[in-house]
Amino acid sequence: MSLIDKLLAGTVKSAPVSTDKVLVRVYLDTGGHVTDVTIRKSCGDPERDAHAQREIMGMRFASKSKGAKTSHNWHDLTYTFHE
């Protein structure tokens, strides 16, 4: 590969690849309600990422207890788009 080819290859960015999954980090309160959602790995489309965040914010999960106290923690979740 010539020097010019190497230089040009370094300047060309490939287009982001869109997938049907978003990896998010979800914070649950003691009642199992989602209080915060952050994107850990994007699907490649900001609009779909935002859609996944909105959907997950409306979800409720079973509360988890540790002994007599309930816990609230961050959890990783994979959101899959079904079309």
Side-chain angles (χ1 to χ4, degrees):
M1 180 182 274
S2 70
L3 176 60
I4 191 70
D5 290 333
K6 288 179 185 178
L7 292 172
L8 289 174
T11 62
V12 177
K13 305 243 189 238
S14 60
V17 177
S18 182
T19 66
D20 62 345
K21 294 181 182 179
V22 177
L23 178 62
V24 296
R25 193 150 177 84
V26 178
Y27 191 81
L28 302 178
D29 67 9
T30 56
H33 297 95
V34 177
T35 59
D36 195 10
V37 178
T38 59
I39 302 291
R40 294 201 63 204
K41 185 173 181 186
S42 171
C43 70
D45 181 349
E47 289 180 25
R48 290 179 71 168
D49 290 343
H51 172 77
Q53 282 183 295
R54 286 190 304 273
E55 288 285 320
I56 294 167
M57 280 300 294
M59 293 180 178
R60 183 164 187 267
F61 299 86
S63 60
K64 179 181 173 189
S65 60
K66 289 183 180 176
K69 295 181 179 181
T70 57
S71 70
H72 43 274
N73 293 307
W74 286 99
H75 303 276
D76 289 337
L77 175 77
T78 301
Y79 180 89
T80 304
F81 296 98
H82 300 283
E83 298 182 59

